[in-house]
Amino acid sequence: MSAFTTADRLHRLIKQALDSGQASTIAEAESLFAGYRVALHLDHQAARDRHHQAALLTAVALARRVFLGGVTVDAPPDVPLLAPMPFGNTLGEALVRLGAQLAPAPQGTARIEVGGPPAARQGDFHIRMLFAGWRGGVVPADADTAPEPRPVMSLSPMLSAAF
């Protein structure tokens, strides 16, 4: 079985838009989803932490399947990759291999901060991923909150990325 039919190659979100009537043609659905983009930001301090790297890499791996217009990451690219994954030697190499574009966030793009301190809101959708212990989640980017410092259970960063 080496041949694929169109149904085997049609992105499930495109199919859902067609099935729901949100789009009437494949080209219309593809155009709709090409407008969905997200930008992630990881500051220099967090980039040197394996848990923050894991959260960022997980977010990119998930986002590239949903935001068909692209995933942009603003993070220090030359930091050594600390998360034990076979995607290269630096964080930048891993991000590119997972499908991200390394650049500052485009204006008007949904934005996600990976950890770090509260940040001034830069748009309608601007959140911050937080994790500690066995907990992970998201808060508004400007929320004046931080988890209590405690050892991180390795799956907590991935949980916050999944949200």
Side-chain angles (χ1 to χ4, degrees):
M1 181 183 214
S2 61
F4 288 99
T5 65
T6 304
D8 293 328
R9 288 185 277 168
L10 190 62
H11 192 281
R12 67 184 67 181
L13 293 176
I14 304 273
K15 182 176 182 331
Q16 192 278 332
L18 292 167
D19 291 349
S20 71
Q22 188 176 11
S24 56
T25 66
I26 291 175
E28 185 181 337
E30 287 174 342
S31 177
L32 172 71
F33 281 96
Y36 295 156
R37 295 181 297 278
V38 68
L40 295 118
H41 175 257
L42 181 70
D43 67 28
H44 286 24
Q45 181 178 353
R48 288 164 173 43
D49 175 72
R50 68 185 172 99
H51 298 297
H52 284 87
Q53 285 188 8
L56 176 63
L57 295 170
T58 301
V60 169
L62 295 172
R64 72 180 179 89
R65 299 184 53 80
V66 177
F67 295 93
L68 303 184
V71 178
T72 304
V73 175
D74 184 7
D78 297 329
V79 171
L81 182 62
L82 302 175
M85 297 180 190
F87 299 131
N89 296 319
T90 67
L91 182 58
E93 289 173 1
L95 290 165
V96 169
R97 283 204 179 150
L98 286 173
Q101 177 186 2
L102 301 179
Q107 187 72 351
T109 303
R111 186 174 170 113
I112 301 170
E113 306 287 334
V114 181
R121 289 186 63 89
Q122 296 181 19
D124 293 336
F125 187 90
H126 191 182
I127 61 173
R128 186 165 45 110
M129 296 190 305
L130 298 176
F131 49 86
W134 284 74
R135 298 172 296 160
V138 297
V139 297
D142 59 354
D144 188 20
T145 186
E148 289 181 28
R150 59 176 58 182
V152 175
M153 191 278 189
S154 296
L155 294 177
S156 297
M158 279 64 95
L159 176 62
S160 65
F163 282 126

